[in-house]
Amino acid sequence: MVKLAPQNAIVSTALVIAGLLATVGYFAAADAHLDAQWAACDSLPATWQMYTTAYGGLACGLGGLVVADRLVRHTGTMTWVVGASAVAAAVLLLVHGFLVYLLYQPDPGGVFSCAG
């Protein structure tokens, strides 16, 4: 059996921080996408930055949960850092799961147009 070092708590926390940065990146990319739609006066497909940040945050949330779970299972102790990282990773997983879902949904406002 592989013995996990306490540094894995840092890895779990780092994955959560990377997931939070991916969330900020997604909303920045979505804002830039909306500006581009206004400039083009037309509906545009989602950009690769939106896909990358949505799936990247999803991967960070999942990775943070897996690392926290393995750390608790193998060391037998739950510290507040690992617990907080696990909760934050679970929230990230839910948020980015919803963002990925939104990427594949049609625009609720219909076709984008500057007319009228």
Side-chain angles (χ1 to χ4, degrees), residues 24-113:
V24 172
Y26 176 85
F27 287 113
D31 188 41
H33 179 255
L34 184 61
D35 290 344
Q37 283 185 329
W38 275 107
C41 285
D42 195 12
S43 293
L44 299 173
T47 62
W48 66 269
Q49 292 95 342
M50 293 170 70
Y51 284 101
T52 304
T53 53
Y55 279 107
L58 194 65
C60 287
L62 184 61
L65 273 179
V66 168
V67 170
D69 178 61
R70 289 184 53 89
L71 185 64
V72 170
R73 285 180 190 258
H74 289 293
T75 61
T77 59
M78 169 71 94
T79 63
W80 69 270
V81 174
V82 176
S85 292
V87 169
V91 170
L92 273 175
L93 199 59
L94 290 173
V95 168
H96 281 273
F98 183 67
L99 292 177
V100 168
Y101 169 77
L102 288 179
L103 281 174
Y104 293 100
Q105 295 305 306
D107 191 7
V111 177
F112 193 89
S113 174

Side-chain angles (χ1 to χ4, degrees), residues 4-13 67 71:
L4 296 176
Q7 289 84 4
N8 284 338
I10 296 170
V11 171
S12 180
T13 306
V67 170
L71 185 64

